[in-house]
Amino acid sequence: MARLSRLQPVMLLLGSALLQAQDFRVGAGVFLLADQGQDFQVSFRPASSHWQFSYRHVQWRDHFNDPFTGRRLTETTETRTGPLVDYLFSPQSPGSWYLGGAVFRWSKREESLLTGEVDRVTTTAPFIGGGYTRTLGRHVYFNLGLYLSPGTRLSTRTSVSSEDDSGAFDIQIQLGARF
């Protein structure tokens, strides 16, 4: 119960910021088209502000096949979730370039489809980048962005494979509703 009372001021601040928001957006991205992919972003921008605050969740699966037999060897699931803050250069215009930063919880799960062996790894990674966002009428928008995390490393290993990621990028291609 004490935990809830500590969260109440935070919820009130977020709630009042959302009520004062000039722009509230809910978008879906291209990973929805992938095999069991998820790509969602929720954003709001306070009235008369250059700052846009967002929360992003993206997840996708990759399958890796033996190059000689074509048999599936592994299935890898990657997830990135976390907050973003962007500075819009022309917030009063229908379209604006922006620069921003994000802190994503980045996790990777690799499963050997031959042995059932699973390896998981998770890290918290800072991302920096930017992009372009534009409204299309009163209630639709699109967003194109690229965020990079050059120093982050993730490695997974199973008995049939291994993956080493040195650095990461997050491509955002979204279409969404605006309120």
Side-chain angles (χ1 to χ4, degrees):
M1 201 63 173
R3 182 183 194 105
L4 181 60
S5 66
R6 282 187 249 154
L7 289 176
Q8 286 173 338
V10 173
M11 290 187 294
L12 287 173
L13 283 173
L14 287 175
S16 68
L18 286 174
L19 290 175
Q20 296 173 13
Q22 175 180 334
D23 197 14
F24 181 73
R25 301 175 177 204
V26 177
V30 295
F31 278 114
L32 285 177
L33 304 175
D35 177 29
Q36 299 176 356
Q38 303 169 17
D39 190 351
F40 300 103
Q41 186 164 320
V42 176
S43 306
F44 74 92
R45 182 173 55 88
S48 304
S49 176
H50 285 266
W51 297 98
Q52 178 173 273
F53 303 94
S54 305
Y55 193 83
R56 178 164 167 76
H57 171 78
V58 62
Q59 182 179 63
W60 68 94
R61 286 192 180 158
D62 286 324
H63 295 98
F64 296 95
N65 301 331
D66 182 304
F68 302 108
T69 66
R71 182 177 180 189
R72 267 193 186 163
L73 298 176
T74 64
E75 179 179 271
T76 303
T77 303
E78 283 198 51
T79 306
R80 294 190 190 131
T81 302
L84 296 91
V85 177
D86 298 315
Y87 180 85
L88 283 74
F89 290 105
S90 303
Q92 70 284 357
S93 300
S96 179
W97 291 97
Y98 63 87
L99 291 177
V103 178
F104 291 141
R105 189 76 176 149
W106 179 18
S107 64
K108 190 175 207 176
R109 178 186 183 276
E110 184 176 2
E111 179 180 5
S112 166
L113 300 176
L114 299 176
T115 65
E117 180 183 3
V118 174
D119 190 17
R120 290 182 178 93
V121 64
T122 301
T123 190
T124 301
F127 283 74
I128 57 170
Y132 183 77
T133 187
R134 182 172 185 86
T135 60
L136 304 170
R138 291 182 55 164
H139 299 291
V140 177
Y141 80 96
F142 75 87
N143 179 58
L144 301 171
L146 176 64
Y147 286 75
L148 304 171
S149 182
T152 306
R153 300 181 64 88
L154 275 181
S155 298
T156 55
R157 303 208 185 312
T158 68
S159 56
V160 296
S161 67
S162 66
E163 284 192 42
D164 293 312
D165 289 324
S166 178
F169 59 92
D170 182 49
I171 298 174
Q172 300 176 7
I173 303 172
Q174 301 155 348
L175 185 64
R178 141 177 212 267
F179 307 96

